[in-house]
Amino acid sequence: MNIALIAHDKKKDEMVKLISSYQDILKKHALFATGTTGQRIVDATGLDVHRFKSGPLGGDQQIGAYISDDKIDMVIFLRDPLTAQPHEPDITALLRLSDVYEIPLATNMGTGEILLRGLGEGLVDWRKIHHHAGRSVLNTEL
């Protein structure tokens, strides 16, 4: 699976802890991240992470484009709801695209951990979906 990892500045330490705790599961998947978050994860874990630009410089939009092209299967976006973000429209668009394309999305540590545990248990296999005319239809070959 292709997993996007994003964290606001005040949440980067939490992201590193989360990814470090689940690196045995994550090493089996392709990881994508915004710039600084990705570098922090690489430095802490040694995992291979494709890094986009930082969020305020277009990284959120780059991940959004991957979502719309069906190249992302899960998003963990540790948001800081108490700090104004200069690129809030990009964040809103990314969250909207995750909903439009039915991408599992965690916006805090609690749901991030649940998604990663589910990933490890094979509970996200339903993402093997074919999209037909804007409707999701489960693949009967699962």
Side-chain angles (χ1 to χ4, degrees), residues 70-99:
D70 202 28
K71 294 179 182 176
I72 294 292
D73 299 297
M74 178 183 290
V75 176
I76 298 177
F77 187 169
L78 300 185
R79 299 175 62 217
D80 176 6
L82 302 177
T83 303
Q85 302 296 327
H87 59 296
E88 192 66 39
D90 299 341
I91 296 165
T92 301
L94 178 69
L95 299 176
R96 183 181 143 288
L97 285 170
S98 295
D99 288 340

Side-chain angles (χ1 to χ4, degrees), residues 20-94:
S20 295
S21 297
Y22 290 93
Q23 63 182 332
D24 285 344
I25 292 170
L26 290 167
K27 68 184 177 187
K28 301 170 189 167
H29 301 277
L31 305 178
F32 300 81
T34 49
T36 309
T37 301
Q39 190 60 56
R40 293 275 310 270
I41 292 167
V42 169
D43 292 345
T45 66
L47 290 169
D48 185 29
V49 179
H50 173 85
R51 292 174 53 229
F52 291 107
K53 294 179 180 184
S54 72
L57 298 179
D60 296 334
Q61 290 182 339
Q62 290 176 301
I63 290 174
Y66 266 51
I67 290 170
S68 68
D69 287 339
D70 202 28
K71 294 179 182 176
I72 294 292
D73 299 297
M74 178 183 290
V75 176
I76 298 177
F77 187 169
L78 300 185
R79 299 175 62 217
D80 176 6
L82 302 177
T83 303
Q85 302 296 327
H87 59 296
E88 192 66 39
D90 299 341
I91 296 165
T92 301
L94 178 69

